[in-house]
Amino acid sequence: MFRLGHAFSIGKVPQGRRIAILTVSGGVGALMADSASDAQLEMPPLPEHIGAELHRRIPFCSTINPVDLTGQITADYSVIDYAAVEVAISGAYDAIVLFLAAA
């Protein structure tokens, strides 16, 4: 928790309303999307090249925002690394929300 507190203390507050939700649970992703919608946040779709690569790695994942990477990431942790980094550098989002419980 100290590391999270430190990260939050030096991080920047997002200036826009566009978020990407990356999760290991489709149900939780839907709940998070509902909450984001209630907060009037935007959830643009993933850039096509990121979705294509995620489907290559996990054919049954959902690449609609919210993105359901499924529990399959426990077999290949590089998938979450790829998704988070590519989404962050894509410029399509102002913030990323990750749900990784049980992963």
Side-chain angles (χ1 to χ4, degrees), residues 12-98:
K12 295 180 182 177
V13 174
Q15 298 303 304
R17 305 197 66 73
R18 302 168 304 156
I19 66 167
I21 297 174
L22 305 177
T23 179
V24 297
S25 167
V28 170
L31 292 171
M32 293 172 77
D34 287 346
S35 293
S37 179
D38 290 346
Q40 299 178 342
L41 298 173
E42 301 169 18
M43 292 173 289
L46 277 183
E48 192 172 314
H49 74 281
I50 299 172
E53 177 61 16
L54 290 174
H55 271 145
R56 186 188 71 74
R57 293 180 181 204
I58 304 175
F60 49 90
C61 73
S62 173
T63 56
I64 299 170
N65 193 4
V67 178
D68 179 9
L69 298 169
T70 79
Q72 187 62 29
I73 67 162
T74 59
D76 183 0
Y77 289 116
S78 71
V79 173
I80 192 66
D81 290 339
Y82 169 81
V85 169
E86 290 299 314
V87 165
I89 65 174
S90 74
Y93 307 97
D94 301 304
I96 301 170
V97 180
L98 295 169

